């Protein structure tokens, strides 16, 4: 059971600004608003089901971990 349809996420550990994350999510069809330079806010709509929420969370995970994967790949190249 959900107690709220509002989700706020602190992005401080991602290396991305809320604006960057919002733009990248928009490109995937997920709407998120920057509520501060390092925080996004998302609200579900009545017609978004559990599968839609899970899909949105998958995209959030992809967007916020992409910079870390890129840094790791560069590091691997330098070490090989």
């Amino acid at each position: 059971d959900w107690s709220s349809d509002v989700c706020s996420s602190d992005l401080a550990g991602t290396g991305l600004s809320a604006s960057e994350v919002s733009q990248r999510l928009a490109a995937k069809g997920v709407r998120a608003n920057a509520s501060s330079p390092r925080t996004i806010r998302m609200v579900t709509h009545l017609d978004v089901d559990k599968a839609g929420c899970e899909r949105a969370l998958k995209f959030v995970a992809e967007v916020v971990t992409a910079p870390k994967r890129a840094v790791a790949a560069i590091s691997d190249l330098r070490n090989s």
Side-chain angles (χ1 to χ4, degrees), residues 6-46:
V6 178
C7 175
S8 290
S9 298
D10 181 356
L11 304 169
T14 67
L16 297 169
S17 71
S19 177
E20 290 172 306
V21 171
S22 180
Q23 290 172 5
R24 292 176 186 193
L25 288 173
K28 296 178 176 285
V30 177
R31 297 166 96 184
N33 295 314
S35 55
S36 79
R38 294 280 180 213
T39 306
I40 58 168
R41 179 177 182 270
M42 299 188 317
V43 180
T44 59
H45 191 271
L46 292 174

Side-chain angles (χ1 to χ4, degrees), residues 11 13-16 21 40 59-69:
L11 304 169
T14 67
L16 297 169
V21 171
I40 58 168
F59 290 145
V60 170
E62 289 175 5
V63 166
V64 299
T65 61
K68 292 178 185 179
R69 287 194 311 266

Side-chain angles (χ1 to χ4, degrees), residues 2 44-57:
W2 293 90
T44 59
H45 191 271
L46 292 174
D47 65 350
V48 177
D49 60 9
K50 182 178 179 179
C53 290
E54 289 172 350
R55 191 170 43 257
L57 288 174

Side-chain angles (χ1 to χ4, degrees), residues 66-80:
K68 292 178 185 179
R69 287 194 311 266
V71 168
I74 291 168
S75 178
D76 287 347
L77 285 173
R78 287 183 178 162
N79 294 328
S80 58

